[in-house]
Amino acid sequence: MRLSAIFPSRTIAIYMGKLFLVRTFAIMAALVLVLQALDLLSESGNILAVPGNGDGEVWRYVSLRAPQIISFVLPFSVLLGTILTLITMNQNSEVIALKAGGLSAHQVLAPLLLASAGVAVISFAFNDRITPRATATLNAWQKVDYGPLPIDSGDRSNVWVRDGGDLLQVDLIRGRGAATQLGGVTLYDRTGGSLRSIVRAPRGQREGSAWRIGPGTRFDVASGQVTRFASMVVGNGVTPEQLTLAGVDADSLSFRGLSEAIDDLQKAGRPTKALEGSLWHKLSGPLSAVLMPLLGAVAAFGVARSGKLFVRAIIGMALGFAYFVADNFALAMGNLGAYPPFLAAWAPFLLFFLIGEAVLIRTEE
């Protein structure tokens, strides 16, 4: 299909795209300003309550919180920017003029869809490069109640790893690679699918492809006896990287970082379904911007003098907000394991794409 068939007029396409982008980012700026002010009212007292904190720490909080708010309100801003643009064009009879010139409903919406695709690319880049870093720093700062941030020594605590049918639990891990030291090692021997023994040792270190622990004790479940040993080799094939994995926060990682963390967790035998859903949602979330012009298109058509323009705008907003509700619900079901990760991230997008197309074709095409 030729590009001229989709965009018959370059001037009209630029005009509509500019209207849409200006309104979208103006609404986003207003929403960010209001939400940031409200959030700062609730948190500024906690920040200033720490001795030594002042205006600098308040502005630091604003700089760390603003990326999260922008990521949250951008899809809503695209929806409201679409509806405001199309209502304005409908009231000025511009949509009627375009349709009278032979443009179909899809051709009228094409400039907005192209502009929203650009917004989706910007949203993905922003969410992948800026928001995760700000989120990770803010979470670490909030854990110390807005006090001085401690230096991350790299130590990990309370780590669980599955070794075949056995479970290996370590209280504290120091170091990296071959120099990794284990403290408080517990091995749950589940040979044959049932618990046979529990092995405990105060320390352990790397030896070849396994770990030598000791001195420790071994509790036999069947006999109830406790025996002591000087040393024992456990966890053959368990790598230091698997043991040094900490809890993974999907919001604090980029797309690539989260993908690598999921691979490491799978090798360690840990569940990753919830993280896989979050990984897919890092793509479907920004792409929802492309969906908003389609859902808000109902506000573009119909005669403004009929008095139903406000009703059409309400229907467009209802469709958009219904999508966000369905998206959050599906993601929650994915985190619980009720939905497969791919379905949890993409089902709402595909469903509302079909709904938007059905409404547009049924009413205008």
Side-chain angles (χ1 to χ4, degrees):
M1 181 181 292
R2 293 180 305 171
L3 191 62
S4 59
I6 303 175
F7 304 103
S9 172
R10 180 173 178 270
T11 302
I12 293 176
I14 294 175
Y15 168 73
M16 293 183 64
K18 187 182 296 185
L19 282 179
F20 167 74
L21 293 175
V22 169
R23 283 159 173 74
T24 294
F25 287 107
I27 292 173
M28 184 192 73
L31 290 176
V32 169
L33 184 62
V34 172
L35 293 178
Q36 182 70 81
L38 294 175
D39 181 70
L40 193 59
L41 286 175
S42 64
E43 290 294 328
S44 59
N46 298 329
I47 298 172
L48 297 176
V50 178
N53 284 357
D55 292 343
E57 284 69 27
V58 173
W59 285 111
R60 181 187 183 187
Y61 175 81
V62 171
S63 67
L64 295 175
R65 189 72 175 94
Q68 296 180 342
I69 297 177
I70 292 174
S71 298
F72 173 73
V73 303
L74 185 56
F76 297 96
S77 302
V78 175
L79 173 65
L80 297 177
T82 297
I83 293 175
L84 184 59
T85 299
L86 296 178
I87 284 179
T88 302
M89 294 184 65
N90 196 345
Q91 286 181 325
N92 295 334
S93 300
E94 292 171 303
V95 175
I96 296 177
L98 293 176
K99 296 197 71 176
L103 271 65
S104 66
H106 285 87
Q107 287 176 315
V108 173
L109 295 177
L112 301 188
L113 293 172
L114 180 62
S116 63
V119 173
V121 173
I122 295 173
S123 177
F124 175 80
F126 184 85
N127 293 342
D128 194 60
R129 302 298 299 173
I130 298 177
T131 305
R133 298 177 183 180
T135 300
T137 304
L138 182 58
N139 289 343
W141 196 23
Q142 289 177 332
K143 287 180 180 178
V144 295
D145 296 325
Y146 301 111
L149 279 172
I151 298 175
D152 186 6
S153 63
D155 295 349
R156 298 294 178 259
S157 60
N158 193 29
V159 176
W160 291 77
V161 174
R162 188 171 65 188
D163 178 23
D166 301 338
L167 287 176
L168 185 65
Q169 187 261 331
V170 184
D171 292 335
L172 181 65
I173 302 174
R174 297 180 183 274
R176 287 288 186 272
T180 302
Q181 299 290 322
L182 311 182
V185 182
T186 304
L187 175 67
Y188 296 90
D189 183 2
R190 302 193 304 171
T191 304
S194 59
L195 184 63
R196 298 298 181 89
S197 63
I198 301 176
V199 178
R200 300 182 188 275
R203 58 184 176 271
Q205 61 185 6
R206 187 71 169 165
E207 183 175 291
S209 61
W211 301 88
R212 182 169 291 280
I213 63 174
T217 60
R218 181 180 184 274
F219 172 73
D220 187 88
V221 175
S223 64
Q225 295 181 347
V226 178
T227 58
R228 296 184 178 275
F229 60 88
S231 66
M232 178 185 295
V233 176
V234 299
N236 187 24
V238 176
T239 64
E241 290 74 17
Q242 291 175 253
L243 287 171
T244 52
L245 284 172
V248 176
D249 180 14
D251 294 333
S252 301
L253 294 174
S254 64
F255 182 86
R256 181 178 179 180
L258 181 57
S259 178
E260 293 175 350
I262 290 174
D263 292 338
D264 292 339
L265 288 171
Q266 288 175 341
K267 293 177 182 177
R270 302 191 197 178
T272 60
K273 295 298 182 183
L275 293 176
E276 290 176 31
S278 299
L279 180 68
W280 282 115
H281 195 262
K282 285 182 178 290
L283 296 176
S284 64
L287 201 59
S288 64
V290 182
L291 195 61
M292 294 303 107
L294 193 61
L295 297 179
V298 67
F301 307 104
V303 181
R305 294 189 298 273
S306 65
K308 295 181 180 180
L309 183 59
F310 180 74
V311 175
R312 285 175 168 268
I314 294 297
I315 293 174
M317 285 189 288
L319 286 174
F321 283 103
Y323 164 76
F324 294 119
V325 172
D327 184 54
N328 290 329
F329 175 80
L331 196 60
M333 290 296 100
N335 292 338
L336 294 174
Y339 290 175
F342 183 85
L343 185 66
W346 289 103
F349 181 89
L350 297 176
L351 174 62
F352 278 83
F353 173 79
L354 295 176
I355 291 175
E357 280 290 339
V359 172
L360 186 61
I361 293 174
R362 177 68 178 84
T363 58
E364 298 301 328
E365 298 287 16

